[in-house]
Amino acid sequence: MASMEKRLQKELQALQRDPPVGVKVDTDKLTSNLSEWTVNLTGAPGTLYEGENFVLHFKFGSRYPFDSPQVIFGGANIPVHPHVYSNGHICLSILTEDWSPALSVQSVCLSIVSMLSSCKEKKRPPDNAIYVKTCSKNPKKTRWWYHDDQV
Amino acid sequence: MGNCLNTPTADDISLLRGSDSQDGSETANLGPPPPYQESVPIYHPSPNVSRTVTQLTEEEQIKIAKRLGLIQHLPTGVHDGCCKKTKECVICMGEFILGDRLRYLPCMHSFHKDCIDDWLMRSFTCPSCMEPVDAALLTTYETNN
């Protein structure tokens, strides 16, 4: 078994044994070598996204965990948030330049839930229209500018 | 500059084995020789960047050579089963087993040697605390003097 698959197997077991609040792996949608995952997120109580359900798609390359996974929102409900584009791409530094192999599916999900929770006003990024028209399908190919860590 | 990067070498043991079977019985089964394949080492001058030696710029070659040198300065050891220490390598998420080769970073985090070396070639930071390893190396040198 490839090292990427071994590690994802361990992550999956841990997430199923001890799932964090608001994070649930959709095991029906896992691919056989675990290279693609679907995770259901629920907005935290007391936040602007309370009770809302979101779908996150993870894609892992063979060099995971040395390379970060590709993570995008999917499904009908893309959260309206200043760091989430309407095509599901997320501007979050740990998904590219601040990635560390000590991070995991669980820590990425929790970072995203916390990013949503700290939001004070539901709105799209200011460059949403131009970005979704011109970006690559893979958000990891975007050169992100991480300018604002308030939300 | 000279080329101080590893180049792929043939596996000597497999060559020896091949020369043993000269009794004629096996030669009949031999098809055309397998195509010559060379496993080209891939380097990662930064995370998410993969290049073969020939694709590296001179600047990247220097960076990688320096990095290889610095990694050699980091202490290694063998897991002795002491339960007070970290039990798991956060990179592969595998438990440390008696006899596993470990590498220790100046920030006191430890990992499987193979796991952390692979990461340090991409980024010279500790995966656990994100502390830059070279800065920490310099501090240890200063406090030792």
Side-chain angles (χ1 to χ4, degrees), chain A residues 42-101:
Chain A
T42 309
T47 71
L48 293 179
Y49 303 90
E50 176 166 355
E52 279 188 69
N53 292 311
F54 306 107
V55 178
L56 270 183
H57 293 299
F58 281 75
K59 270 191 196 171
F60 304 92
S62 60
R63 284 188 290 268
Y64 180 79
F66 297 107
D67 286 0
S68 59
Q70 195 196 115
V71 186
I72 54 173
F73 276 107
N77 191 20
I78 308 275
V80 179
H81 183 281
H83 292 174
V84 182
Y85 290 86
S86 53
N87 62 354
H89 287 195
I90 308 162
C91 179
L92 182 64
S93 65
I94 58 161
L95 296 178
T96 52
E97 60 188 54
D98 289 338
W99 170 255
S100 145

Side-chain angles (χ1 to χ4, degrees), chain A residues 7 11 14-15 18 20 23 37 39 41 56 58 60 64-65 69 71 92 94-95 98-115, chain B residues 90 93 127:
Chain A
R7 174 163 148 162
E11 288 197 46
L15 270 171
D18 202 7
V23 177
W37 293 34
V39 181
L41 295 187
L56 270 183
F58 281 75
F60 304 92
Y64 180 79
V71 186
L92 182 64
I94 58 161
L95 296 178
D98 289 338
W99 170 255
S100 145
L103 295 171
S104 59
V105 175
Q106 167 156 343
S107 57
V108 166
C109 288
L110 290 176
S111 293
I112 291 173
V113 169
S114 125
M115 179 187 91
Chain B
V90 294
M93 292 190 173

Side-chain angles (χ1 to χ4, degrees), chain B residues 20-141:
Chain B
D20 285 342
S21 55
Q22 299 235 327
D23 53 9
S25 60
E26 276 187 67
T27 44
N29 300 330
L30 287 177
Y36 177 68
Q37 272 188 329
E38 186 172 48
S39 64
V40 182
I42 304 291
Y43 293 93
H44 307 277
S46 348
N48 295 317
V49 176
S50 308
R51 293 195 214 290
T52 61
V53 173
T54 49
Q55 292 166 328
L56 291 169
T57 64
E58 192 168 336
E59 204 173 297
E60 284 167 343
Q61 290 187 34
I62 295 171
K63 183 177 169 189
I64 288 171
K66 278 187 183 165
R67 189 65 63 80
L68 283 167
L70 282 170
I71 292 175
Q72 300 314 309
H73 283 278
L74 298 167
T76 56
V78 169
H79 187 58
D80 55 9
C82 174
C83 56
K84 278 180 197 155
K85 295 179 193 161
T86 333
K87 283 184 186 157
E88 190 193 80
C89 172
V90 294
I91 298 175
C92 65
M93 292 190 173
E95 254 180 66
F96 290 141
I97 300 167
L98 202 69
D100 277 357
R101 289 187 73 197
L102 310 186
R103 196 184 283 286
Y104 310 99
L105 299 191
C107 52
M108 307 305 283
H109 289 114
S110 43
F111 309 87
H112 283 128
K113 181 180 173 292
D114 291 347
C115 294
I116 189 65
D117 287 5
D118 213 342
W119 172 250
L120 292 176
M121 286 308 295
R122 296 153 201 253
S123 167
F124 213 43
T125 53
C126 171
S128 298
C129 62
M130 305 304 277
E131 170 116 12
V133 177
D134 39 4
L137 259 183
L138 288 175
T139 325
T140 24
Y141 283 140

Side-chain angles (χ1 to χ4, degrees), chain B residues 12-23:
Chain B
D12 292 337
I13 295 169
S14 61
L15 286 173
L16 285 172
R17 257 191 229 118
S19 60
D20 285 342
S21 55
Q22 299 235 327
D23 53 9

